[in-house]
Amino acid sequence: DLRSVVRFACLPGYEYASGDPSVVCGADGLWKRADQTTPLLNSEPYRCELVRDFCPDPSPLLGLPQRQPDVGARLASTPVLRLGGTVAFECLEGYKPVLGQSEAVCAVDVADSTRGRWVRAGAEYGWQAELQPLRCTLIQNWCPNVTMRHGLMVSMTHENYLRSVVEFECAVGYQPILDPWGRARASFQCLHNPWKTAGMWLSTKDNATTDKMMACELTPAFCPDPTAGVGVQLTEGNAWSLGSTLRMACVFGFTPNVPPGMDELTCAAGPDPARGQW
């Protein structure tokens, strides 16, 4: 009707951009500006634009920046905080997904239409499904099994998971070959390979790979000097390292008092791991 007034407002998620917030019906049947005197001018279309930061930063959904607890996930895309904007989540290297959604969308908060909230993708209109942010867990065999030649694993913190630490020392009867650090033990941590597609063990001291692992060699005098009994002489063997053998024989005028085949001694590990026995 003539002189009818219409007022406009932006929908939730939008804010005023330009145009006349209210118009009046003029005598010529056209909408005029309502806040002016004669002569009435034609109105400008009322325009709204998306609120730039309608939804909050999604980082806290993943426990960021403190990452407490460690959910093993991160933002996979730059979040668009406008209504209808999206954000993607992905697992960190060394992790795999266990539950939750990998994508969220910015929607109007049903409890307060002046702000937005993150919901499941596809649920931004109508009924809104609650978002369960992506949660990831460590991959069990991120790093391969690791061994040390002539070595012994003395500790391992978290099996072959990312950030696990394994420690080796030389096996009984062996000693470390001198290296620049004079290490008695070698420690390695499960980290990423250069492409972050799998894990690899790197030294906790210098990031060296396991092919440069501390080497071990036989301890030269692992067993004590043998003592020959009365009438016994050592006929073979002059090394006292682990696995070395000594052959005994009776001197002239004596006869063996052990069965055949019992005339040989072998240097073996004893109760004391630092010293062998015959």
Side-chain angles (χ1 to χ4, degrees):
D1 295 339
L2 182 64
R3 291 187 292 278
S4 294
V5 177
V6 176
R7 292 180 174 84
F8 302 102
C10 293
L11 294 172
Y14 291 82
E15 61 185 357
Y16 173 78
S18 63
D20 297 315
S22 60
V23 295
V24 61
C25 182
D28 56 0
L30 299 176
W31 293 103
K32 310 293 183 178
R33 294 182 179 177
D35 56 350
Q36 61 180 344
T37 58
T38 56
L40 297 179
L41 300 178
N42 292 338
S43 64
E44 294 183 7
Y46 188 78
R47 293 180 58 255
C48 300
E49 61 184 11
L50 289 166
V51 178
R52 182 171 182 175
D53 296 325
F54 188 57
C55 273
D57 178 8
S59 297
L61 296 173
L62 302 178
L64 301 172
Q66 294 81 11
R67 197 174 291 284
Q68 295 292 333
D70 185 1
V71 298
R74 66 185 170 203
L75 300 181
S77 64
T78 301
V80 178
L81 306 182
R82 298 183 179 90
L83 181 66
T86 59
V87 62
F89 310 111
E90 65 181 3
C91 292
L92 297 170
E93 293 82 2
Y95 289 78
K96 63 180 179 181
V98 288
L99 58 87
Q101 290 79 52
S102 60
E103 188 177 13
V105 64
C106 178
V108 177
D109 190 334
V110 294
D112 183 356
S113 62
T114 64
R115 64 184 184 185
R117 64 191 291 254
W118 295 103
V119 299
R120 293 188 185 185
E124 60 269 33
Y125 304 107
W127 181 75
Q128 295 181 357
E130 289 294 327
L131 172 68
Q132 170 59 67
L134 182 67
R135 293 294 183 266
C136 306
T137 188
L138 287 165
I139 297 174
Q140 185 173 10
N141 294 312
W142 182 243
C143 277
N145 292 330
V146 58
T147 58
M148 178 179 175
R149 189 167 183 263
H150 304 312
L152 177 69
M153 184 185 295
V154 294
S155 67
M156 192 177 200
T157 58
H158 299 100
E159 300 180 8
N160 292 0
Y161 292 103
L162 179 67
R163 294 188 295 275
S164 176
V165 176
V166 61
E167 192 172 39
F168 290 92
E169 66 181 12
C170 290
V172 173
Y174 289 82
Q175 65 183 17
I177 298 175
L178 184 64
D179 62 32
W181 301 275
R183 296 174 293 185
R185 289 187 175 184
S187 180
F188 291 85
Q189 186 173 28
C190 178
L191 298 172
H192 306 302
N193 66 16
W195 307 275
K196 296 186 176 182
T197 56
M200 63 186 302
W201 296 97
L202 295 175
S203 171
T204 57
K205 292 185 178 294
D206 57 3
N207 284 331
T209 53
T210 51
D211 60 342
K212 297 180 177 61
M213 182 180 287
M214 177 183 72
C216 300
E217 62 182 359
L218 286 167
T219 302
F222 183 58
C223 279
D225 291 337
T227 301
V230 177
V232 177
Q233 66 178 356
L234 303 176
T235 60
E236 294 180 12
N238 57 6
W240 316 141
S241 59
L242 182 69
S244 297
T245 58
L246 293 175
R247 190 172 296 277
M248 301 175 293
C250 292
V251 299
F252 181 76
F254 288 81
T255 58
N257 62 350
V258 295
M262 298 290 289
D263 58 348
E264 188 175 273
L265 298 177
T266 301
C267 178
D272 183 357
R275 193 164 182 80
Q277 64 182 2
W278 293 103

